[in-house]
């Protein structure tokens, strides 16, 4: 069986289940992972090679010592891989002093930070360094048409870009017995967000929207559960207290992705809210995986017209999309779902159908394997032509 080597500088953070899934679900290739620092956050079947710690330098990033380079090159040659799959353009830069010496087909998965944030940092200097990665790698995987345009804008050749969304394991979150017809006058409505507590996730606007719902619509029979942890925790708790919403909002904290406890929160929720916002004019998300998890569970989803989200949610068909940073519109749409069980059911069932039929990782993994096949085939054809 052909071997593929996955590269990531740090494998991998607790929020990077999308990388773990891409590795775990591939069936027609042998997969190994090479990392400079094994964070040991996940139990997966892939063979994780913890090669070495990296050393910090000032400015843009990291370098790898000569001794470590030799060890990694020996690892490459002994394993006889047929393709390299790197995660993040930034990580490809870290490994480039090694990979440029490896004559293999190479692809990169892009996720957001490496496309619409870092290239505009440090006065745009990273875009200069990106040029060598555009030359070295054969294909760049963009999660959506929006990300493709962002890649082109920072200099990536259009003919090297493939639109590919990795998907999630919808079976884990599937709920075929959801009850939508709750009487809002008797039973508290349960609202849910599962996301790291960062500005880009838009928690602030949900809390402001809930204040509007209580004051403008005179409705307070709801509980809002925030699953996740991050740098915005103290600010969000302070805002909750200032708006007198502590009885309505529950900060649950981080829950392990592969736990039954996480699935239970989806099961008990009535509405899922994830209003991502753009930061500094350029910084956007790709496609938040928790939105697809909620869709798989049959939850009606409210999100924003942001990044790749409109590629998976068609407004008023399999979810609701609102403008970014608009707490008034968000409050209006939350109330619309609270007061209309039929709408919750229609959107939730449509969302589940789309997730299972179009966004499941088993379907998407077959697409990824075809991309591997294409990269290897084109590499061999190119090599034969050059001979």
């Amino acid at each position: 069986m052909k071997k593929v080597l996955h590269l990531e500088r740090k494998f991998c953070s607790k929020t990077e289940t999308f990388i773990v899934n891409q590795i775990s679900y591939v069936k027609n290739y042998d997969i190994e992972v090479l990392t400079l620092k094994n964070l040991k956050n996940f139990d997966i079947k892939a063979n994780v090679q913890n090669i070495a710690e990296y050393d910090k330098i000032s400015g843009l990033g990291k370098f790898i010592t000569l001794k470590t380079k030799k060890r990694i090159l020996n690892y490459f040659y002994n394993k006889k891989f047929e393709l390299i799959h790197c995660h993040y353009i930034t990580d490809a830069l870290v490994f480039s002093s090694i990979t440029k010496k490896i004559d293999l087909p190479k692809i990169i998965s892009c996720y957001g930070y490496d496309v619409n944030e870092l290239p505009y940092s440090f006065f745009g200097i990273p875009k200069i360094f990106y040029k060598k990665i555009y030359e070295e790698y054969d294909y760049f995987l963009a999660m959506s048409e929006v990300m493709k345009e962002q890649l082109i804008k920072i200099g990536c050749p259009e003919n090297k870009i493939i639109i590919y969304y990795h998907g999630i394991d919808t079976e884990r979150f599937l709920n075929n017995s959801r009850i939508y017809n709750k009487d809002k006058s008797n039973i508290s409505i349960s609202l849910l967000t599962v996301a790291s507590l960062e500005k880009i996730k838009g928690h602030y606007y949900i809390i402001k929207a809930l204040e509007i719902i209580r004051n403008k619509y005179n409705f307070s029979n709801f509980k809002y559960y925030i699953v996740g942890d991050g740098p915005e925790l103290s600010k969000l708790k302070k805002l909750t207290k200032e708006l007198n919403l502590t009885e309505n909002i529950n900060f649950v904290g981080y829950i392990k992705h592969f736990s039954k406890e996480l699935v239970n929160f989806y099961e008990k929720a009535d509405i899922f809210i994830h209003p991502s916002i753009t930061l500094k004019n350029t910084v956007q998300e790709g496609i938040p995986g928790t939105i697809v998890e909620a869709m798989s569970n049959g939850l009606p989803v409210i999100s924003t017209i942001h990044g790749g989200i409109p590629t998976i949610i068609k407004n008023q068909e399999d979810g609701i999309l609102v403008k970014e940073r608009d707490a008034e519109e968000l409050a209006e749409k939350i109330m619309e779902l609270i007061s209309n069980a039929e709408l919750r059911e229609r959107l939730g069932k449509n969302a589940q159908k789309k997730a299972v039929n179009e966004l499941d990782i088993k379907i998407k993994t077959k697409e990824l394997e075809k991309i591997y096949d294409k990269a290897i085939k084109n590499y061999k054809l190119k090599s034969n032509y050059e001979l």
Side-chain angles (χ1 to χ4, degrees), residues 106-119:
K106 300 165 189 170
I107 67 174
I108 291 181
S109 286
C110 308
Y111 298 110
Y113 164 80
D114 52 339
V115 177
N116 55 50
E117 183 172 356
L118 184 67

Side-chain angles (χ1 to χ4, degrees), residues 166-265:
H166 42 74
I168 66 117
D169 183 359
T170 61
E171 190 174 343
R172 277 196 64 228
F173 301 92
L174 200 62
N175 179 3
N176 291 318
S177 57
R178 174 171 293 282
I179 299 174
Y180 295 93
N181 59 343
K182 282 188 177 180
D183 182 346
K184 69 181 179 68
S185 64
N186 296 324
I187 302 174
S188 177
I189 289 289
S190 177
L191 312 173
L192 175 67
T193 301
V194 180
S196 55
L197 304 187
E198 301 174 31
K199 286 183 180 180
I200 199 168
K201 303 295 183 178
H203 295 89
Y204 170 86
Y205 296 94
I206 303 175
I207 295 173
K208 292 293 288 184
L210 297 181
E211 179 197 25
I212 294 168
I213 287 172
R214 183 193 60 196
N215 297 338
K216 180 178 178 179
Y217 296 95
N218 196 30
F219 182 81
S220 58
N221 195 19
F222 62 83
K223 289 286 186 181
Y224 174 41
Y225 296 91
I226 302 176
V227 175
D229 197 2
E232 292 293 297
L233 177 60
S234 60
K235 292 180 182 178
L236 295 173
K237 282 188 172 181
K238 182 181 178 182
L239 178 64
T240 299
K241 187 175 181 180
E242 289 173 350
L243 300 181
N244 296 316
L245 287 168
T246 52
E247 294 298 316
N248 299 93
I249 298 177
N250 187 345
F251 290 87
V252 177
Y254 171 72
I255 296 177
K256 290 183 178 180
H257 182 266
F258 294 105
S259 67
K260 177 62 178 173
E261 185 182 3
L262 178 61
V263 177
N264 288 340
F265 271 97

Side-chain angles (χ1 to χ4, degrees), residues 85-86 88-89 92 106-110 133 137 139-141:
H85 183 169
C86 187
Y88 300 100
I89 302 175
K106 300 165 189 170
I107 67 174
I108 291 181
S109 286
C110 308
I133 303 302
Y137 278 74
Y139 297 109
F140 294 76
L141 307 187

